[in-house]
Amino acid sequence: MSSFFGEINPPQRLLMGPGPINVHPRVLRAMGADMLGQFDPEMTDYMNQTMALYRRVFMTENRWTFLIDGSARAGIEAALTSLIEPGAKVLLIRSGRFGMLLGEIAERLGAEIATIDLEWGQVATLDQIEAALAEHRPAVFAAIHGDTSTTTAQPLEGVGALCRRYGALSYVDATATLGGMPVRTDEWQIDVVSAGLQKCMGGPPGSAPITISDRAAEFIFSRRKVESGIRRDDISDGTRPFIRSNYFDLAMVMDYWSEKRLNHHTEATSMLYAARECARLVLEEGLENRFARHVAAGKAMSEGLRGLGLTLYGQDAYRMSNVTGVYIPEGIDGERVRARMRDEYQIEIGTAFGPLVGKIWRLGAMGYNAEQHKVRLTLAALKAVLESEA
């Protein structure tokens, strides 16, 4: 018996939802490269190259720019676990599914949570953020840059400076925007930014790029766990609560990625190859060119949907360039349309979360799929299905 279930042979679908998206062929080829020992000089050189590449992608000079092994949520959890001490106050913007996720993680960490609660799809102004910082004086401020649940991008210019003025560390989840929209880490003075590969970066889920300011790194290192009660020069005296996770302890992961190469985990080698190639593709294209390509694809999607007589969800001023929300027409079964798009045309579009379930579809055009011909194929298929459903 050669196999029990048979060889994996997935259908060749065009993934035009909110992510994951189709992986660039060069990334798939990179993932097929052979394994290396974790501390082989070739392997550590690839790690160093990856750090250098992602500094440019994140638009930062941060020394501490590397990968967390795991999906984008692993990056979120590593950041929050390492920044939030038990009982610390955390200020969150909650205006969509993923802002709520930040709160759920912070709650598990024992944080005292303060929120800027907005209607789904709205953004917080600088005045609102400053007022909340002044009122609550949080230790950490956290926000989503682009929330795919609402297809809305939160403006971040000036946010990091406000957080520093009020003594808060700042964290931003850029999972859905890195590589497709500007993530100006240094210009915005954001302390920690994490992301993923499976959206605008054009890679598979499973690796979470992250960048950490020196200011945040100093705080994270102050939370090192004292091993076996023996104090070393590079470990704190335990006066701060130590980071409660081992796997997501950024102080330990940073030691692994530093010149010390202190063993923490076995690096996900194939995912490192993928992340490295994703960044190479982004930088070969050029950041500004890539951002412009996503804007053009998003505009084509928005205009095409309006051309079909559909109504877009959200505000044009704050719409993500890579994911577009559109209202499901009255009398149309949204899930039936999605199923027909998938079964008849091999094209996937997204459903929705929370209060938007059954009300909108979410259509993506990002990474390898932020191309005019792929947008046109998607719109043509949607037009055909809607006409036959009417």
Side-chain angles (χ1 to χ4, degrees):
M1 182 170 167
S2 60
S3 105
F4 189 76
F5 287 110
E7 185 178 356
I8 287 176
N9 185 28
Q12 293 185 334
R13 292 209 173 100
L14 178 58
L15 303 181
M16 299 296 283
I21 54 94
N22 298 92
V23 177
H24 195 288
R26 273 177 48 182
V27 177
L28 292 174
R29 288 196 293 270
M31 293 177 72
D34 205 356
M35 295 295 102
L36 285 170
Q38 293 300 293
F39 300 105
D40 276 0
E42 293 87 355
M43 179 64 179
T44 54
D45 190 39
Y46 286 146
M47 293 172 71
N48 290 339
Q49 291 172 18
T50 301
M51 288 191 283
L53 290 165
Y54 276 92
R55 289 186 189 103
R56 294 173 62 189
V57 174
F58 277 112
M59 302 170 131
T60 185
E61 298 295 326
N62 287 342
R63 173 192 178 189
W64 300 110
T65 304
F66 51 94
L67 305 176
I68 302 295
D69 289 348
S71 68
R73 191 168 300 192
I76 298 170
E77 192 137 357
L80 295 182
T81 299
S82 300
L83 291 176
I84 298 174
E85 297 175 307
K89 185 172 285 189
V90 178
L91 175 63
L92 310 169
I93 298 176
R94 294 197 305 193
S95 57
R97 167 70 184 89
F98 295 101
M100 294 173 70
L101 171 66
L102 298 182
E104 198 271 341
I105 294 172
E107 181 182 23
R108 288 173 180 260
L109 295 170
E112 180 183 343
I113 299 171
T115 59
I116 302 172
D117 285 317
L118 305 170
E119 183 181 346
W120 277 41
Q122 299 298 306
V123 299
T125 66
L126 275 180
D127 286 345
Q128 286 175 308
I129 293 169
E130 181 167 18
L133 287 168
E135 178 184 356
H136 299 292
R137 299 286 174 166
V140 177
F141 167 84
I144 307 294
H145 184 208
D147 194 323
T148 55
S149 72
T150 63
T151 68
T152 301
Q154 168 64 45
L156 293 170
E157 186 174 0
V159 169
L162 278 179
C163 289
R164 294 184 184 206
R165 185 184 309 166
Y166 287 94
L169 291 165
S170 54
Y171 165 71
V172 165
D173 168 26
T175 297
T177 54
L178 188 72
M181 294 178 64
V183 178
R184 305 185 188 280
T185 303
D186 285 0
E187 182 180 323
W188 295 339
Q189 299 183 58
I190 305 298
D191 288 304
V192 181
V193 184
S194 72
L197 302 184
Q198 75 273 21
K199 297 185 187 280
C200 297
M201 292 299 298
S207 184
I210 191 168
T211 188
I212 302 167
S213 71
D214 287 344
R215 177 173 177 256
E218 181 179 2
F219 174 80
I220 290 165
F221 283 133
S222 77
R223 295 189 63 199
R224 290 181 190 269
K225 187 177 187 300
V226 178
E227 301 292 345
S228 303
I230 301 172
R231 186 171 189 272
R232 303 202 312 255
D233 289 340
D234 62 346
I235 291 183
S236 79
D237 60 8
T239 56
R240 302 200 75 94
F242 65 81
I243 297 168
R244 296 296 173 173
S245 172
N246 180 288
Y247 189 74
F248 292 132
D249 184 335
L250 283 179
M252 297 174 71
V253 180
M254 289 152 78
D255 280 342
Y256 177 66
W257 280 83
S258 76
E259 297 81 1
K260 300 173 187 177
R261 302 294 177 192
L262 296 182
N263 184 50
H264 173 255
H265 63 283
T266 300
E267 179 59 23
T269 309
S270 296
M271 288 307 306
L272 180 136
Y273 296 163
R276 178 180 177 276
E277 193 63 17
C278 285
R280 277 175 21 91
L281 284 161
V282 169
L283 297 174
E284 282 178 15
E285 183 174 359
L287 288 174
E288 296 305 322
N289 291 336
R290 194 173 183 93
F291 301 152
R293 177 164 63 84
H294 280 77
V295 167
K299 182 179 179 182
M301 183 69 80
S302 296
E303 290 179 351
L305 291 167
R306 285 183 167 129
L308 295 179
L310 302 177
T311 302
L312 299 191
Y313 167 80
Q315 307 170 72
D316 284 343
Y318 302 113
R319 193 180 312 285
M320 295 170 66
S321 62
N322 52 307
V323 185
T324 305
V326 62
Y327 284 101
I328 300 168
E330 188 175 349
I332 294 292
D333 184 335
E335 287 307 295
R336 176 177 163 81
V337 168
R338 290 183 64 241
R340 289 190 60 193
M341 290 281 288
R342 183 181 65 245
D343 297 340
E344 297 173 24
Y345 296 94
Q346 296 298 314
I347 297 174
E348 178 184 278
I349 62 174
T351 184
F353 292 109
L356 299 177
V357 168
K359 296 181 180 179
I360 70 168
W361 294 306
R362 296 175 299 149
L363 289 83
M366 62 187 106
Y368 187 52
N369 291 347
E371 300 286 355
Q372 295 291 321
H373 69 283
K374 295 180 181 179
V375 172
R376 293 192 186 103
L377 280 171
T378 303
L379 292 169
L382 182 59
K383 180 175 185 289
V385 171
L386 288 176
E387 285 177 348
S388 67
E389 288 285 316

mmCIF file of all heavy atoms in Angstrom, residues 80 84-90 103-113 244:
data_model
loop_
_atom_site.group_PDB
_atom_site.id
_atom_site.type_symbol
_atom_site.label_atom_id
_atom_site.label_comp_id
_atom_site.label_asym_id
_atom_site.label_seq_id
_atom_site.Cartn_x
_atom_site.Cartn_y
_atom_site.Cartn_z
ATOM 1 N N LEU A 80 3.220 41.140 22.583
ATOM 2 C CA LEU A 80 2.420 41.523 23.747
ATOM 3 C C LEU A 80 2.875 40.801 25.006
ATOM 4 O O LEU A 80 2.904 41.396 26.095
ATOM 5 C CB LEU A 80 0.940 41.248 23.467
ATOM 6 C CG LEU A 80 0.316 42.091 22.348
ATOM 7 C CD1 LEU A 80 -1.168 41.772 22.199
ATOM 8 C CD2 LEU A 80 0.518 43.581 22.583
ATOM 9 N N ILE A 84 3.903 43.307 27.991
ATOM 10 C CA ILE A 84 2.866 43.521 29.012
ATOM 11 C C ILE A 84 3.185 42.740 30.283
ATOM 12 O O ILE A 84 3.214 41.509 30.279
ATOM 13 C CB ILE A 84 1.484 43.098 28.479
ATOM 14 C CG1 ILE A 84 1.096 43.964 27.266
ATOM 15 C CG2 ILE A 84 0.428 43.205 29.571
ATOM 16 C CD1 ILE A 84 -0.188 43.518 26.581
ATOM 17 N N GLU A 85 3.415 43.456 31.367
ATOM 18 C CA GLU A 85 3.591 42.826 32.669
ATOM 19 C C GLU A 85 2.226 42.589 33.313
ATOM 20 O O GLU A 85 1.276 43.335 33.043
ATOM 21 C CB GLU A 85 4.432 43.737 33.575
ATOM 22 C CG GLU A 85 5.844 43.964 33.061
ATOM 23 C CD GLU A 85 6.594 44.961 33.922
ATOM 24 O OE1 GLU A 85 6.079 46.077 34.142
ATOM 25 O OE2 GLU A 85 7.691 44.609 34.379
ATOM 26 N N PRO A 86 2.111 41.574 34.159
ATOM 27 C CA PRO A 86 0.836 41.352 34.854
ATOM 28 C C PRO A 86 0.406 42.605 35.612
ATOM 29 O O PRO A 86 1.196 43.209 36.340
ATOM 30 C CB PRO A 86 1.152 40.197 35.810
ATOM 31 C CG PRO A 86 2.303 39.480 35.166
ATOM 32 C CD PRO A 86 3.118 40.554 34.496
ATOM 33 N N GLY A 87 -0.835 43.005 35.422
ATOM 34 C CA GLY A 87 -1.357 44.185 36.098
ATOM 35 C C GLY A 87 -1.063 45.497 35.408
ATOM 36 O O GLY A 87 -1.581 46.544 35.825
ATOM 37 N N ALA A 88 -0.248 45.466 34.332
ATOM 38 C CA ALA A 88 0.057 46.711 33.627
ATOM 39 C C ALA A 88 -1.167 47.199 32.867
ATOM 40 O O ALA A 88 -2.006 46.409 32.432
ATOM 41 C CB ALA A 88 1.224 46.488 32.661
ATOM 42 N N LYS A 89 -1.251 48.496 32.679
ATOM 43 C CA LYS A 89 -2.376 49.058 31.933
ATOM 44 C C LYS A 89 -2.010 49.109 30.448
ATOM 45 O O LYS A 89 -0.917 49.539 30.069
ATOM 46 C CB LYS A 89 -2.726 50.455 32.437
ATOM 47 C CG LYS A 89 -3.972 51.042 31.763
ATOM 48 C CD LYS A 89 -4.419 52.340 32.423
ATOM 49 C CE LYS A 89 -5.097 52.086 33.756
ATOM 50 N NZ LYS A 89 -5.723 53.322 34.299
ATOM 51 N N VAL A 90 -2.951 48.661 29.626
ATOM 52 C CA VAL A 90 -2.762 48.627 28.173
ATOM 53 C C VAL A 90 -3.911 49.386 27.534
ATOM 54 O O VAL A 90 -5.076 49.185 27.876
ATOM 55 C CB VAL A 90 -2.739 47.175 27.651
ATOM 56 C CG1 VAL A 90 -2.587 47.145 26.146
ATOM 57 C CG2 VAL A 90 -1.605 46.394 28.311
ATOM 58 N N GLY A 103 -7.078 42.740 22.608
ATOM 59 C CA GLY A 103 -7.639 42.777 23.948
ATOM 60 C C GLY A 103 -7.732 41.405 24.572
ATOM 61 O O GLY A 103 -7.486 41.230 25.775
ATOM 62 N N GLU A 104 -8.092 40.405 23.774
ATOM 63 C CA GLU A 104 -8.207 39.041 24.290
ATOM 64 C C GLU A 104 -6.846 38.521 24.748
ATOM 65 O O GLU A 104 -6.727 37.898 25.811
ATOM 66 C CB GLU A 104 -8.793 38.137 23.190
ATOM 67 C CG GLU A 104 -9.358 36.823 23.689
ATOM 68 C CD GLU A 104 -8.316 35.721 23.744
ATOM 69 O OE1 GLU A 104 -7.268 35.850 23.078
ATOM 70 O OE2 GLU A 104 -8.538 34.740 24.461
ATOM 71 N N ILE A 105 -5.804 38.818 23.996
ATOM 72 C CA ILE A 105 -4.456 38.388 24.385
ATOM 73 C C ILE A 105 -4.012 39.147 25.636
ATOM 74 O O ILE A 105 -3.461 38.558 26.579
ATOM 75 C CB ILE A 105 -3.466 38.593 23.227
ATOM 76 C CG1 ILE A 105 -3.816 37.666 22.055
ATOM 77 C CG2 ILE A 105 -2.031 38.340 23.685
ATOM 78 C CD1 ILE A 105 -3.016 37.924 20.798
ATOM 79 N N ALA A 106 -4.241 40.456 25.654
ATOM 80 C CA ALA A 106 -3.841 41.263 26.817
ATOM 81 C C ALA A 106 -4.558 40.793 28.074
ATOM 82 O O ALA A 106 -3.970 40.758 29.168
ATOM 83 C CB ALA A 106 -4.133 42.743 26.552
ATOM 84 N N GLU A 107 -5.819 40.412 27.941
ATOM 85 C CA GLU A 107 -6.574 39.908 29.090
ATOM 86 C C GLU A 107 -5.933 38.637 29.638
ATOM 87 O O GLU A 107 -5.793 38.465 30.852
ATOM 88 C CB GLU A 107 -8.017 39.626 28.670
ATOM 89 C CG GLU A 107 -8.907 39.125 29.806
ATOM 90 C CD GLU A 107 -10.316 38.820 29.332
ATOM 91 O OE1 GLU A 107 -10.510 38.578 28.135
ATOM 92 O OE2 GLU A 107 -11.219 38.812 30.189
ATOM 93 N N ARG A 108 -5.529 37.742 28.754
ATOM 94 C CA ARG A 108 -4.859 36.506 29.191
ATOM 95 C C ARG A 108 -3.550 36.792 29.915
ATOM 96 O O ARG A 108 -3.109 36.004 30.751
ATOM 97 C CB ARG A 108 -4.578 35.603 27.987
ATOM 98 C CG ARG A 108 -5.812 34.934 27.400
ATOM 99 C CD ARG A 108 -5.462 34.206 26.122
ATOM 100 N NE ARG A 108 -6.623 33.556 25.527
ATOM 101 C CZ ARG A 108 -6.905 32.266 25.642
ATOM 102 N NH1 ARG A 108 -6.120 31.476 26.338
ATOM 103 N NH2 ARG A 108 -7.973 31.763 25.054
ATOM 104 N N LEU A 109 -2.927 37.914 29.586
ATOM 105 C CA LEU A 109 -1.657 38.280 30.216
ATOM 106 C C LEU A 109 -1.853 39.009 31.541
ATOM 107 O O LEU A 109 -0.881 39.408 32.175
ATOM 108 C CB LEU A 109 -0.841 39.156 29.253
ATOM 109 C CG LEU A 109 -0.385 38.470 27.966
ATOM 110 C CD1 LEU A 109 0.188 39.480 26.973
ATOM 111 C CD2 LEU A 109 0.652 37.388 28.271
ATOM 112 N N GLY A 110 -3.092 39.192 31.946
ATOM 113 C CA GLY A 110 -3.363 39.835 33.227
ATOM 114 C C GLY A 110 -3.276 41.338 33.190
ATOM 115 O O GLY A 110 -3.069 41.983 34.230
ATOM 116 N N ALA A 111 -3.453 41.933 31.993
ATOM 117 C CA ALA A 111 -3.360 43.381 31.876
ATOM 118 C C ALA A 111 -4.633 44.056 32.372
ATOM 119 O O ALA A 111 -5.714 43.459 32.382
ATOM 120 C CB ALA A 111 -3.106 43.770 30.426
ATOM 121 N N GLU A 112 -4.481 45.299 32.763
ATOM 122 C CA GLU A 112 -5.635 46.168 32.993
ATOM 123 C C GLU A 112 -5.897 46.880 31.675
ATOM 124 O O GLU A 112 -5.027 47.610 31.176
ATOM 125 C CB GLU A 112 -5.335 47.184 34.098
ATOM 126 C CG GLU A 112 -6.496 48.119 34.390
ATOM 127 C CD GLU A 112 -6.155 49.172 35.430
ATOM 128 O OE1 GLU A 112 -5.152 49.007 36.153
ATOM 129 O OE2 GLU A 112 -6.893 50.182 35.488
ATOM 130 N N ILE A 113 -7.053 46.663 31.091
ATOM 131 C CA ILE A 113 -7.297 47.088 29.715
ATOM 132 C C ILE A 113 -8.148 48.351 29.673
ATOM 133 O O ILE A 113 -9.205 48.435 30.301
ATOM 134 C CB ILE A 113 -7.985 45.965 28.923
ATOM 135 C CG1 ILE A 113 -7.082 44.728 28.885
ATOM 136 C CG2 ILE A 113 -8.333 46.414 27.507
ATOM 137 C CD1 ILE A 113 -7.735 43.496 28.317
ATOM 138 N N ARG A 244 6.355 35.485 30.920
ATOM 139 C CA ARG A 244 5.734 34.241 31.368
ATOM 140 C C ARG A 244 5.751 33.128 30.333
ATOM 141 O O ARG A 244 5.474 31.977 30.665
ATOM 142 C CB ARG A 244 4.285 34.514 31.794
ATOM 143 C CG ARG A 244 4.188 35.450 32.991
ATOM 144 C CD ARG A 244 4.801 34.846 34.241
ATOM 145 N NE ARG A 244 4.844 35.805 35.349
ATOM 146 C CZ ARG A 244 5.210 35.477 36.578
ATOM 147 N NH1 ARG A 244 5.558 34.243 36.859
ATOM 148 N NH2 ARG A 244 5.241 36.390 37.522
#
